[in-house]
Every structure is written in C-alpha cells, then in structure tokens.
Amino acid sequence: FAYKNESALGKLRRKVPDGNRVAIVTNAGGPGIVATDMTVSSGLRLARFQEETVEALDSHLPDTANLNNPVDIIGDAPTDRYENALAAVIRDEGVDGALVILTPQSMTDVLGTAEAIGRIARRSVKPIMCCFMGIIDVSQGVKYLQEKGIPVFKFPENTAKAFGALYRYSKWLNRQQLAEYELSHDSERAAEIIADCLAAGKTQLGEVDGIGILEAYGFKVLPTQLATSDRQAADI
C-alpha cells in the first residue's frame, strides 16, 4: 500500500501485543463465536475483563448485550456503541489487543464505525484488528481502515489467525538475545581467496572457495579437496 502520511501510519502498522489476551467486540453472535474458536486455536486467550471494564460496558450497552468476552453489542449497534465498547476493553490492563467484528445491518453506519475505530486506534498502543464482513456493503469502511493502516479482513477466522501471527512475531521480537562471542578469523586469508577468484575472472564463489572463506572466519567445516579426474578422486 502507498500511504501519504507514512510515519504516523507506520506506527499503527508496527503495533504488536505484549501478550496473547484478546478482547472481541462484535455485533453478531455467530461471527463472534467463530472468532473465539479461532482465537484459541491460534495460541491466544480470551481476556478476562476487570470489574471496572464490565461496569463501563454495562453503562453504555443495552440490556440484551453480552458484557463478557466476546462482547456482543447487538446487531443494531450504532457508531457510539462500537466506540464506547472498544474504548472500554482496550483500556483494560488485562487486554493485549482487540478484534472488532462488523456485520452490516440496515441501520449500520459502516463508515462512521470505521472512523470511530480509527480514533481509538490512534490513541492506543495496543493493536486493533477488524473484520468487516461483506463486500459492497462495507467497502467504504474497509477503504477507510486500509488508508489509516488498520488491518481489516473479510472473515473472523482470518482476523484471529492474523492476530495469532502478530503475537508470535512479538515473541520473536522479545526473544532472549544471546551474548556475542568471538570467532577466530584470518581476514588476510579470506581476502587472498577473493583476490585469487577475481584474478581468475570469477564473479561468484564456488563451494570450495566458499568453504575456504568460512574456515578463515572460524567456522568448522569438513576437510574438502577438489578432484579434477577420477584418478585424483580415488587418491583423495
């Protein structure tokens, strides 16, 4: 993708979770269940909300909503219901990131919801991934999220798998760094091999010359000789 404001959008795309605890916000129960199953299969865990998070959700959502994870804000959810629910869960210290699922209903403000997600994503250091189901009905919202550098997918299982991959990437980034150690090296011998190859008109190192350079820099290699005839091979 080509973005006009690369620095700000780069920060959005580089967000990685500190852990594997995910909050799901959805306006449809079925996709929420699919996302839940795939979340667990992707090495993630459903976050357990703190009491204040549940209280915040309760103050903004209708009585028919599910306040536990996954948070079902009901199919007729307007933009502010999405924004309030996502803001509540992403603030929770027990949440490392969020998946937001939107299925278009006749009253759904797709673009407005995408803009609300964007506002929260800009304020949060935690990654937010979206699933806007449908094609034409959600195209404006998808375009907006893509332009803002917020990951958006067509299906909840793909969204959860992507978050799982992001979590594995975060673990790789935070992996233990091994202490550096010195290798014995003979840079003069390596330079000599390269000079001899260049003098012979070679622009690429073959296996024998390559092994010689590895050996010059302290790598353990098997004893290697080049045979140019069957008799020489037998002698070696």
Side-chain angles (χ1 to χ4, degrees), residues 116-165:
I117 294 170
R119 287 192 292 271
I120 296 172
R122 284 193 296 271
R123 299 194 304 262
S124 176
V125 298
K126 301 175 184 179
I128 297 173
M129 291 191 173
C130 301
C131 170
F132 276 34
M133 302 186 71
I135 301 176
I136 297 176
D137 291 342
V138 297
S139 58
Q140 282 188 311
V142 169
K143 182 175 183 293
Y144 178 86
L145 292 170
Q146 289 176 337
E147 289 176 346
K148 297 303 179 183
I150 300 172
V152 56
F153 301 85
K154 293 180 181 178
F155 301 104
E157 54 268 40
N158 292 341
T159 316
K161 285 193 285 187
F163 202 104

Side-chain angles (χ1 to χ4, degrees), residues 42 65 226:
S42 300
L226 176 64

Side-chain angles (χ1 to χ4, degrees), residues 155-177:
F155 301 104
E157 54 268 40
N158 292 341
T159 316
K161 285 193 285 187
F163 202 104
L166 188 64
Y167 169 62
R168 292 192 296 275
Y169 173 62
S170 73
K171 289 177 64 178
W172 184 85
L173 288 178
N174 296 315
R175 70 196 185 283
Q176 180 183 5
Q177 298 292 325

Side-chain angles (χ1 to χ4, degrees), residues 72-90:
D72 189 346
I73 59 176
I74 309 304
D76 63 349
T79 296
D80 63 337
R81 199 182 297 172
Y82 264 103
E83 188 164 10
N84 290 328
L86 180 57
V89 300
I90 207 69

